[in-house]
Amino acid sequence: MSSCMMAGLISTHYKSTLSKFKRLRNNAALSVLTSTQRKYSSKDGAGIEYLHKSVVPTMHYQKSLPRLPVPKLEDTIRRYLAAQRPLLNDEQYSNTEKVAHDFQSGVGKQLHEELVALDKNNKHTSYISAPWFDMYLSARESVVLNFNPFMSFNPDPKPEYNDQLVRATNMVCSAVRFMKTLRAGLLEPEVFHLNPAKSDTDSFKKLIRWVPPSISWFGAYMVNAYPLDMSQYFRLFNSTRIPKYKRDELLTDNKGHHLLVIKRGNLYVFDALDRDGNLIKPAEVQAHLKYILSDPTKTPSFPLGVLTSENRDTWAGLRQKLLDAGNGEALHLVDSALFCLCLDEEVMRDHIHISHNMLHGDGCNRWYDKSFSIILAKDGQAAINFEHSWGDGVAVLRFQNEVFKDTTEKPLVGPGSQPAAVDSSSAVRRLEFKLTDELKAGITKAKENFQAAVSKLTIDAMEFKKGGKEQLKKKKLSPDAISQLAFQMGFLRQYGQTVATYESCSTAAFKHGRTETIRPATIHTKRCAKAFVEQPGQHTVEQLQGLLTECSKYHGQLTKEAAMGQGFDRHLFAMRYLANSKGMALHSLYQDPAYTAINHNILSTSTLTSPAVSLGGFAPVVPDGFGVGYGVHDEWIGCNVSSYPARNVHEFLKCVHKSLEDIFTVLDGKPIN
């Protein structure tokens, strides 16, 4: 088929294709869009400058991506009430139901109509994009613990390549190659292939590249492939969150050729690109990093990086004082750097130590405002810590996957490589800052605040080795649903309650999609958890198996709805944001204690599995909550969980492990002990 014929065929089927896509929320296959495992191809022949040269231009599908739908108001209210039901007693639910229906027929109807009209007038974006940016950038809490998550790399399979200098050099080179590939439009578009035998082929790619970008998405859809939004990718490099009073700003300056390196709290810069924008020789990168690692300069008494961990208004005021003191040029070098590389001096003891170090570290050897930082411990353990306002995990994970693949399969330096014989002392610059007494006092206070915050955080991990994805799929159960059910059972076993639970779901299938919330605490999980935890003797094994199936089916439905932009959280949030922007008094729905409670997410959860990632983690989003990072693997299930003193994370993980044991016992056809 010629490209012209294909373009004509796509145009003819434009409307029917779009309506089919909307109906996909009922298609079980779409739930895979929430998975983080995708196939990437790095073609040979790309040379040292690029990771690969994609046949299809990077942003080929962006223009024709479907728009994030604004859900129907009646659907949002129905879903909201369904999520509230397991959290409330009859009297509370009756009140919340009354308030919600009043909102639906009154103020909510008006706000919804205005939101739909606003959305129609802004077809270049999504209805959630601007409010979501605003929410992140207006938050005044420290980005440390409250927003920045981490994802740690698996070690290089070749142990000798985990040397700190070797791995740092390879990661810098691969990261710069990723950036060059992206900016040249040669990075493979982000596509989820449901039938890769048809869509992830050279022949299809050669064909689809000639289909106009205005309709190319529909061509991919016709072969069961789903291009994802890549609008966040440009913020990966040369980007920083700048503290400002009341609302921060995002800065991206593509002119920067230099890398920011932090070691022992000292900030260094050197050009990783030459004047023509090409990667300098890997041996030169190695030489410069070796020079920094051997620099005997001690930790400064007043390390500037710790200021990025402060309250945002406090940091905004101190940054202005830094500018007033004549530090503008040095700060601009930090802000415009390609990215940040943190070279730590500690050897990691275990997974818990890795989690603490990569999530927050010591506060001094970080610049938390950079779009992302690659952190490398003394023993070569590596991770990415990223600032969350500019984007979600999808872009960062793609970057991490590509860097891991490139550094492990095609490393540019090895244990026997010799650093270039160059004058690193002139190429590398250690940044000096002029500090007034007021700035020194601010840094001292920031250190104290940082220590007070991180000292309260406890992290623990658990691996359940008696079953995983393969066994659950054989039983036709959703692995994610069973993991979430185990958290519900675990919390009920420990605290005797069902509480507000948040699971993040990407809406990257839509133009400028961000995330939607899956609400895993349901009437089904509550019923099932009570049966397993409180009444195991009152149910047969078959009845318990039936309850598991009910939970799985309903969770699958919620997941598909969320991935298709059909949750309720973002819709209610956008209407509240609209009311606030108009100066309207908030409807009683938003002042209902039940609304406050469901948004006080005691169980905040997020999952990812990837060949590049060892573990990921984040802090709880509320003082009395858990931050639950988890991954379901073929034969095992892992959890990396954080808490503050109000909760006991060690006991929680024991309860989750016991819950998984009970679930797999029942799946084996045996009664619970």
Side-chain angles (χ1 to χ4, degrees):
M1 185 191 295
S2 73
S3 56
C4 292
M5 286 173 64
M6 186 172 186
L9 182 63
I10 293 167
S11 297
T12 304
H13 292 288
Y14 183 99
K15 287 183 180 175
S16 64
T17 303
L18 191 57
S19 64
K20 281 180 191 173
F21 179 70
K22 287 173 179 173
R23 290 200 298 274
L24 269 172
R25 68 195 62 155
N26 301 315
N27 182 339
L30 196 80
S31 64
V32 295
L33 282 173
T34 60
S35 167
T36 50
Q37 288 186 324
R38 284 184 284 280
K39 183 182 173 186
Y40 302 111
S41 57
S42 290
K43 295 182 176 62
D44 293 329
I48 196 171
E49 290 299 314
Y50 305 115
L51 293 179
H52 54 246
K53 291 185 176 179
S54 174
V55 174
V56 184
T58 306
M59 305 304 280
H60 188 57
Y61 300 109
Q62 191 67 28
K63 194 174 179 181
S64 57
L65 282 173
R67 299 195 62 232
L68 182 69
V70 180
K72 292 179 181 176
L73 182 59
E74 56 268 31
D75 288 343
T76 287
I77 297 301
R78 173 176 52 78
R79 290 170 182 140
Y80 171 66
L81 289 172
Q84 286 284 18
R85 182 64 275 204
L87 308 178
L88 305 173
N89 63 32
D90 290 346
E91 185 183 342
Q92 290 167 331
Y93 180 76
S94 177
N95 180 62
T96 293
E97 188 178 36
K98 183 182 173 187
V99 165
H101 286 142
D102 181 72
F103 177 77
Q104 181 182 339
S105 59
V107 174
K109 188 169 183 287
Q110 177 197 337
L111 287 170
H112 172 75
E113 286 169 0
E114 288 187 34
L115 184 65
V116 169
L118 198 63
D119 183 56
K120 280 183 179 171
N121 289 332
N122 290 276
K123 292 186 176 175
H124 63 286
T125 187
S126 70
Y127 78 90
I128 198 61
S129 183
W132 211 240
F133 273 118
D134 210 33
M135 180 269 294
Y136 270 119
L137 293 171
S138 299
R140 299 294 81 193
E141 302 94 338
S142 166
V143 296
V144 184
L145 303 187
N146 296 302
F147 296 105
N148 287 28
F150 83 91
M151 298 187 290
S152 70
F153 285 91
N154 275 315
D156 193 302
K158 304 177 292 296
E160 65 273 21
Y161 280 79
N162 290 309
D163 171 82
Q164 188 180 28
L165 176 59
V166 170
R167 200 170 198 201
T169 304
N170 281 320
M171 284 195 166
V172 167
C173 292
S174 293
V176 172
R177 278 153 50 80
F178 180 98
M179 183 270 290
K180 294 259 311 167
T181 311
L182 170 67
R183 288 184 179 169
L186 297 171
L187 188 72
E188 289 256 350
E190 186 78 344
V191 178
F192 197 96
H193 300 277
L194 282 182
N195 188 358
K198 266 191 173 184
S199 58
D200 198 13
T201 63
D202 287 342
S203 57
F204 176 74
K205 289 172 185 176
K206 284 173 184 171
L207 188 63
I208 197 71
R209 69 174 295 185
W210 296 109
V211 175
S214 57
I215 54 172
S216 56
W217 179 90
F218 299 92
Y221 169 82
M222 286 168 71
V223 290
N224 233 4
Y226 297 90
L228 304 182
D229 180 78
M230 296 183 75
S231 63
Q232 298 172 6
Y233 279 58
F234 85 101
R235 292 277 190 201
L236 268 168
F237 299 97
N238 300 101
S239 296
T240 301
R241 176 173 174 162
I242 306 291
K244 297 280 185 179
Y245 183 60
K246 288 193 176 177
R247 186 186 189 275
D248 293 352
E249 293 174 4
L250 293 173
L251 171 89
T252 300
D253 183 352
N254 289 348
K255 295 191 290 292
H257 284 191
H258 58 286
L259 180 69
L260 173 66
V261 184
I262 311 183
K263 192 207 77 171
R264 217 179 279 151
N266 294 291
L267 279 62
Y268 306 80
V269 292
F270 68 83
D271 283 348
L273 300 171
D274 63 21
R275 287 180 184 176
D276 298 322
N278 298 316
L279 174 67
I280 64 172
K281 291 175 183 174
E284 290 181 30
V285 175
Q286 188 178 15
H288 299 339
L289 292 177
K290 184 178 181 182
Y291 174 82
I292 292 169
L293 282 168
S294 354
D295 183 3
T297 306
K298 293 180 179 175
T299 303
S301 302
F302 302 99
L304 209 65
V306 74
L307 290 179
T308 64
S309 72
E310 257 292 9
N311 168 281
R312 302 308 292 178
D313 281 343
T314 304
W315 171 208
L318 290 166
R319 180 186 166 90
Q320 187 56 51
K321 288 178 174 33
L322 278 166
L323 293 170
D324 294 343
N327 296 295
E329 191 250 349
L331 279 174
H332 181 69
L333 284 170
V334 171
D335 298 335
S336 60
L338 291 164
F339 60 92
C340 180
L341 173 70
C342 305
L343 298 172
D344 289 355
E345 295 192 296
E346 282 187 274
V347 171
M348 299 293 99
R349 296 184 300 275
D350 52 32
H351 284 324
I352 308 304
H353 190 195
I354 290 171
S355 292
H356 277 290
N357 190 62
M358 305 311 188
L359 182 61
H360 56 77
D362 66 358
C364 300
N365 213 48
R366 302 285 183 270
W367 196 272
Y368 300 105
D369 288 353
K370 286 301 286 180
S371 54
F372 73 90
S373 297
I374 294 178
I375 303 165
L376 263 156
K378 186 77 172 171
D379 56 359
Q381 289 284 353
I384 290 176
N385 181 295
F386 68 97
E387 197 281 310
H388 219 323
S389 66
W390 65 270
D392 305 306
V394 175
V396 180
L397 186 60
R398 170 72 187 274
F399 169 74
Q400 188 160 2
N401 284 336
E402 293 281 13
V403 166
F404 182 76
K405 181 180 173 68
D406 196 52
T407 55
T408 54
E409 293 181 7
K410 297 187 289 184
L412 294 179
V413 301
S417 302
Q418 288 301 310
V422 293
D423 182 13
S424 290
S425 64
S426 61
V428 177
R429 174 181 167 191
R430 181 162 56 84
L431 299 180
E432 302 277 359
F433 293 89
K434 305 179 191 78
L435 300 178
T436 63
D437 288 345
E438 193 175 6
L439 283 164
K440 289 177 181 178
I443 292 170
T444 301
K445 183 65 177 170
K447 273 191 193 176
E448 292 169 4
N449 291 341
F450 176 86
Q451 287 303 329
V454 301
S455 66
K456 294 173 186 166
L457 187 76
T458 304
I459 300 176
D460 199 1
M462 178 274 289
E463 291 182 356
F464 176 79
K465 297 285 195 178
K466 296 177 183 177
K469 192 185 298 178
E470 291 301 318
Q471 196 173 337
L472 293 169
K473 283 188 171 179
K474 280 177 189 170
K475 299 288 184 182
K476 297 185 177 174
L477 294 171
S478 154
D480 189 62
I482 295 304
S483 301
Q484 288 288 345
L485 176 61
F487 305 145
Q488 295 299 316
M489 284 187 191
F491 198 90
L492 183 70
R493 191 181 300 277
Q494 186 178 8
Y495 295 107
Q497 285 179 284
T498 297
V499 292
T501 308
Y502 178 108
E503 179 182 359
S504 180
C505 176
S506 172
T507 50
F510 300 96
K511 185 180 289 184
H512 294 191
R514 294 290 306 239
T515 59
E516 182 53 272
T517 308
I518 301 168
R519 290 292 181 174
T522 68
I523 53 171
H524 304 284
T525 61
K526 188 173 185 176
R527 186 185 304 129
C528 187
K530 285 202 167 197
F532 271 75
V533 175
E534 297 174 358
Q535 314 151 340
Q538 297 175 29
H539 299 80
T540 65
V541 169
E542 290 75 17
Q543 286 173 329
L544 291 173
Q545 288 173 343
L547 290 171
L548 293 175
T549 301
E550 271 181 31
C551 290
S552 178
K553 282 181 181 172
Y554 192 68
H555 186 81
Q557 179 190 326
L558 292 179
T559 301
K560 283 171 241 160
E561 288 175 352
M564 294 306 297
Q566 294 292 327
F568 66 82
D569 281 86
R570 299 299 175 269
H571 190 195
L572 288 178
F573 174 85
M575 287 189 287
R576 179 177 183 164
Y577 179 86
L578 182 60
N580 283 332
S581 68
K582 291 162 64 71
M584 292 171 61
L586 281 181
H587 185 270
S588 50
L589 177 140
Y590 294 112
Q591 297 173 46
D592 181 7
Y595 180 82
T596 303
I598 203 171
N599 287 292
H600 184 88
N601 291 299
I602 289 171
L603 285 170
S604 181
T605 73
S606 186
T607 183
L608 64 88
T609 48
S610 157
V613 177
S614 169
L615 73 163
F618 50 93
V621 297
V622 292
D624 57 339
F626 289 114
V628 183
Y630 65 103
V632 188
H633 305 269
D634 287 346
E635 306 298 336
W636 61 285
I637 298 169
C639 299
N640 196 37
V641 185
S642 61
S643 74
Y644 293 118
R647 300 286 179 192
N648 184 331
V649 67
H650 313 297
E651 189 63 33
F652 176 68
L653 282 173
K654 284 180 190 171
C655 292
V656 170
H657 195 279
K658 165 67 174 156
S659 300
L660 287 168
E661 280 184 351
D662 287 352
I663 289 167
F664 278 86
T665 297
V666 165
L667 292 179
D668 285 339
K670 300 169 188 170
I672 303 169
N673 294 328

